[in-house]
Amino acid sequence: MLAPICLFTYNRLKETRQTLEALKMNLLASISDLFIFSDGPKDVASKLKVEAIRKYLYSETGFKSITIFESEENKGLANSIISGVSNILHKYGKIIVLEDDLITTPNFLDYMNSALYFYENNLKIHSISGYSLDLPSLKNYSKDYYLGYRASSWGWATWLNRWQDIDWEVRSYNKFKYNYLEQYKFMKGGSDLPRMLKAQMKGYIDSWAIRWCYDQFKQNRLTVFPSTSKITNIGFGKDATHTKRKTSFQTILDKGEQTSFSFDDTIILDKRLIKEFRQKFSISSRLMNKIHFS
């Protein structure tokens, strides 16, 4: 059985339309169930945009079924995803998740469903990512996938038994913030992770994704990444929730022709890719992003 797809939208009609048009081009779209969660407006100005989004959504076709959930209140992205994903996972056991600014390749659903099926009973795997960084060592890489320490929020998938026990309140944080060895270990996925978790706990940001990454670290699990990205992000700009400017995380997109993918039960991390992945989130890389992409 194919995994249900969840799409989270807010007030960006242009990006939402592009996201859905690309998703409909997927080879498995017509036999996949799509659940769309439309968040409520923050104010009068956003109400008109949200209404336009919803009018468009009800005109859409191209999937086995489309179910739309309209929130009257503005939950915010974090609460929308936590509640929406939990709802669908408890019914279906697995899920593929997109936000309204992600362009998928035609083989995105093939890759995600294949990986979900292959790793379903391997509890070492926390999630599947449809997005991949543009890493130098991937240019001559022979496998369809690689493993990493950090989850990605740009088109991802998981299972109920990896999601249902997450402590979204992060009650272990009071011990973690004084444990510098644990913070150092957390940085295997990027030196920015402890800083982002601290910002979350202080209320400076509202991110479900950093809590998802922290849970992966606590569970000592891994994320499966495609060797060529099946996702590109178009949501850079003033209306974006978290990405206000272009960044070096833009990547080379798969041509979308491959539909059969090979995975391996053996858990082997490529040290070169781990190093290059971590470098993308280093202080120097983040400074270069601000200089070159501001």
Side-chain angles (χ1 to χ4, degrees):
M1 185 176 67
L2 297 179
I5 309 161
C6 275
L7 173 64
F8 291 86
T9 70
Y10 180 44
N11 67 351
R12 294 182 289 174
L13 179 58
K14 179 182 177 181
E15 288 84 353
T16 300
R17 190 188 298 273
Q18 288 178 269
T19 296
L20 274 171
E21 288 300 316
L23 189 59
K24 283 196 297 184
M25 295 298 293
N26 266 258
L27 303 172
L28 298 180
S30 64
I31 52 174
S32 297
D33 295 304
L34 175 64
F35 296 88
I36 304 177
F37 290 84
S38 171
D39 200 9
K42 293 179 181 178
D43 47 38
V44 175
S46 59
K47 183 179 180 180
L48 295 175
K49 292 182 178 181
V50 170
E51 289 175 349
I53 289 278
R54 291 175 178 176
K55 182 179 180 180
Y56 160 69
L57 292 176
Y58 280 105
S59 70
E60 269 297 349
T61 58
F63 299 88
K64 181 181 177 182
S65 69
I66 300 177
T67 305
I68 301 171
F69 297 92
E70 298 181 12
S71 175
E72 293 185 6
E73 62 176 340
N74 181 260
K75 295 181 178 180
L77 182 60
N79 287 333
S80 292
I81 287 184
I82 292 170
S83 61
V85 168
S86 298
N87 178 18
I88 300 303
L89 275 176
H90 277 94
K91 293 180 181 178
Y92 294 91
K94 57 185 176 180
I95 196 170
I96 297 170
V97 183
L98 291 165
E99 293 175 28
D100 60 359
D101 54 5
L102 301 172
I103 299 299
T104 55
T105 60
N107 61 355
F108 166 75
L109 293 178
D110 291 276
Y111 169 79
M112 300 301 278
N113 278 288
S114 294
L116 280 169
Y117 176 78
F118 188 90
Y119 291 107
E120 180 176 8
N121 298 315
N122 189 336
L123 295 180
K124 186 66 176 177
I125 302 304
H126 201 58
S127 67
I128 313 298
S129 174
Y131 169 77
S132 177
L133 291 161
D134 182 18
L135 305 178
S137 293
L138 290 175
K139 288 179 173 60
N140 298 308
Y141 192 71
S142 60
K143 294 183 178 180
D144 292 332
Y145 76 100
Y146 64 98
L147 301 173
Y149 291 113
R150 177 184 187 139
S152 171
S153 61
W154 288 1
W156 56 279
T158 195
W159 306 264
L160 176 61
N161 61 357
R162 275 72 147 187
W163 180 269
Q164 63 184 351
D165 295 325
I166 296 174
D167 176 17
W168 295 106
E169 301 300 318
V170 197
R171 284 180 280 265
S172 64
Y173 183 71
N174 284 334
K175 289 184 178 179
F176 175 78
K177 69 181 180 180
Y178 296 115
N179 191 327
Y180 300 111
L181 178 58
E182 284 293 285
Q183 291 184 42
Y184 178 76
K185 291 178 179 177
F186 191 28
M187 288 192 287
K188 286 191 295 185
S191 62
D192 60 323
L193 289 172
R195 176 186 58 81
M196 287 179 62
L197 184 60
K198 181 179 180 179
Q200 171 66 34
M201 299 309 294
K202 286 184 172 291
Y204 299 150
I205 62 173
D206 184 21
S207 170
W208 68 272
I210 185 57
R211 289 176 279 173
W212 177 229
C213 287
Y214 179 69
D215 182 74
Q216 175 170 329
F217 163 71
K218 296 294 285 184
Q219 300 297 334
N220 192 27
R221 290 173 176 162
L222 302 166
T223 291
V224 178
F225 291 90
S227 53
T228 308
S229 187
K230 312 296 185 282
I231 290 278
T232 188
N233 191 310
I234 58 168
F236 302 100
K238 62 183 178 63
D239 289 332
T241 301
H242 299 298
T243 47
K244 303 299 182 185
R245 59 169 69 89
K246 292 183 179 181
T247 75
S248 61
F249 295 105
Q250 290 175 303
T251 190
I252 297 172
L253 202 58
D254 192 330
K255 294 180 180 178
E257 298 171 352
Q258 181 182 355
T259 58
S260 179
F261 300 92
S262 297
F263 303 97
D264 196 330
D265 281 318
T266 306
I267 301 298
I268 300 176
L269 288 94
D270 188 303
K271 292 181 180 179
R272 296 171 304 166
L273 293 174
I274 292 296
K275 182 179 180 180
E276 291 169 5
F277 190 104
R278 187 168 58 246
Q279 179 61 31
K280 284 281 189 177
F281 298 92
S282 67
I283 294 174
S284 59
S285 290
R286 297 200 300 271
L287 286 173
M288 291 302 289
N289 275 339
K290 290 182 179 180
I291 293 170
H292 290 295
F293 294 94
S294 59

